[in-house]
Amino acid sequence: MALPVKDQFRYWGIATAAFLVILWFLGDVILPFVLGGAIAYFLDPVADRIQRLGASRTVATTIITLSALLIFILMALLVIPALVQQAVSLFDTAPRLFQDLQAFLTAQFPSLVDEDSALRQSLISIGETIRERGGELLNTLLTSVNSLVSIVLLFVIVPVVAFYLLYDWDNMIARIDDLLPRDHAPMIRHLAAEIDRTLASFIRGMGTVSLILGTYYAVALMLLGLQFGLVVGAIAGLVTFIPYVGALVGGALAIGLALFQFWGDWVSIGLVGGVFVLGQVVEGNILTPKLVGSSVGLHPVWLIFALSVFGTLFGFVGMLVAVPVAAALGVVARFGISGYKKSQLYRGVDSDTGV
């Protein structure tokens, strides 16, 4: 006899509550495993494709791991040092840039000279905060023993976790499938396939788009001679997965820096702005339609809401799981709406007779 629906809701509710409690208390501890699982999920199609060429799962996983290690070493030697150096320089230069902004605004708006001006007081307060907290925050992040230990652990644990999960991915999926309640297994498989399709389109697609656009922004801005162009490109690429936010944040930061560096050279400032306009055109008309598709089902507002809620409740780990959870909830919501529209509650008692 099937378990009553009321009892099923109770058990699934308890399981969901347990998951949230674990996420709440063990957020920092499970971070390497969440990252490792995300990497394994991202690379599983690559491993499957290599297997279809005749290689075993072990060989496919080894090839992917060695390739990723080679890419990481090249980045560590060529990109990461320059990125860190520019980030440190940006923090060190921020107070001077703010002083230049204050001088410019004072020249353009003489009322700011008035010491009682609310805007002047706000600018002074912001400048003091940047001077006091900016360098202190960066030094804390770079010199904290705990931070260094955490970073080392991430670099050690995440690749190991990703390797073993990638190697055993198909077996894990088979075991999970074997644990599904038999009465609902077909429906769960259908929903899981829809969630996987949504995640594959969004995470893998937007991950590729972010990498392409981040590289493009960084290279283009550096070729234009913009200071900190590599950092700006990296920031814009990282937040590109939130529609329009990457271009807005990166464009505002780049144009703001360009105004200080190229003031009076309107051609250079226009070229910096043009880099982001071109990036948006290419993303909206070529990259996103080709790599992500138009039927992902993750509305930008829903995605931002999920990131905000999970980030506030569970920190960085919450932000990592926000996209999968948002995708899953979206699929379940669409499934529920589809069932509701087929039900008598929606169609009405006399729907078949047309009355």
Side-chain angles (χ1 to χ4, degrees):
M1 184 176 67
L3 196 66
V5 175
K6 182 179 179 180
D7 292 339
Q8 294 183 33
F9 272 113
R10 181 187 303 121
Y11 292 138
W12 287 115
I14 293 173
T16 303
F19 169 76
L20 294 176
V21 169
I22 292 173
L23 197 63
W24 178 280
F25 286 103
L26 300 180
D28 294 335
V29 176
I30 64 175
L31 175 59
F33 302 93
V34 173
L35 287 173
I39 293 172
Y41 175 79
F42 188 87
L43 295 175
D44 178 61
V46 180
D48 291 339
R49 185 167 299 180
I50 295 176
Q51 280 187 279
R52 287 195 292 269
L53 295 176
S56 65
R57 188 72 179 189
T58 303
V59 172
T61 305
T62 303
I63 291 174
I64 293 173
T65 302
L66 293 177
S67 300
L69 182 62
L70 178 61
I71 293 173
F72 175 78
I73 292 174
L74 291 176
M75 290 185 61
L77 294 176
L78 301 176
V79 179
I80 295 179
L83 186 63
V84 173
Q85 182 181 5
Q86 286 197 13
V88 173
S89 299
L90 180 59
F91 271 90
D92 292 339
T93 309
R96 182 180 62 80
L97 293 176
F98 183 80
Q99 290 175 355
D100 294 341
L101 173 62
Q102 188 174 357
F104 170 77
L105 291 176
T106 302
Q108 298 296 322
F109 305 98
S111 62
L112 292 178
V113 178
D114 185 5
E115 295 184 357
D116 296 330
S117 171
L119 182 57
R120 179 180 175 84
Q121 295 299 325
S122 299
L123 290 174
I124 293 174
S125 176
I126 295 173
E128 291 177 352
T129 302
I130 292 176
R131 283 192 292 272
E132 293 175 2
R133 301 297 182 186
E136 179 184 341
L137 175 62
L138 184 64
N139 290 332
T140 301
L141 292 174
L142 294 178
T143 61
S144 172
V145 176
N146 291 332
S147 297
L148 291 176
V149 171
S150 299
I151 292 173
V152 171
L153 287 177
L154 281 178
F155 281 125
V156 172
I157 296 176
V158 170
V160 175
V161 172
F163 175 85
Y164 281 108
L165 289 180
L166 181 61
Y167 172 75
D168 208 32
W169 190 267
D170 294 336
N171 291 331
M172 288 191 304
I173 298 300
R175 292 169 189 164
I176 293 174
D177 182 81
D178 186 59
L179 294 175
L180 296 178
R182 297 297 93 184
D183 289 342
H184 306 292
M187 181 186 67
I188 295 175
R189 292 191 189 105
H190 171 73
L191 292 176
E194 286 294 313
I195 294 171
D196 178 67
R197 184 190 63 82
T198 301
L199 285 178
S201 298
F202 186 82
I203 295 180
R204 294 175 185 137
M206 286 307 300
T208 306
V209 171
S210 298
L211 180 61
I212 293 174
L213 285 179
T215 303
Y216 158 71
Y217 289 140
V219 172
L221 294 176
M222 292 175 66
L223 290 176
L224 291 175
L226 181 69
Q227 290 180 324
F228 317 117
L230 183 61
V231 175
V232 174
I235 293 173
L238 282 175
V239 295
T240 294
F241 72 96
I242 306 176
Y244 309 113
V245 173
L248 289 175
V249 172
L253 184 57
I255 293 174
L257 292 172
L259 288 173
F260 285 104
Q261 183 178 344
F262 303 125
W263 181 255
D265 185 1
W266 303 111
V267 174
S268 296
I269 296 173
L271 288 175
V272 171
V275 166
F276 285 89
V277 173
L278 179 60
Q280 276 298 285
V281 171
V282 173
E283 177 193 357
N285 294 281
I286 299 175
L287 294 179
T288 300
K290 295 291 185 182
L291 298 176
V292 180
S294 58
S295 58
V296 173
L298 281 178
H299 193 278
V301 175
W302 171 239
L303 180 62
I304 294 173
F305 175 76
L307 288 169
S308 301
V309 171
F310 277 80
T312 301
L313 293 177
F314 307 110
F316 183 68
V317 176
M319 296 185 69
L320 290 178
V321 302
V323 174
V325 171
L329 292 177
V331 170
V332 172
R334 288 193 294 272
F335 177 79
I337 292 173
S338 176
Y340 163 69
K341 287 189 173 182
K342 295 177 183 177
S343 69
Q344 208 171 45
L345 177 63
Y346 173 78
R347 296 166 61 88
V349 177
D350 299 325
S351 60
D352 294 333
T353 61
V355 178

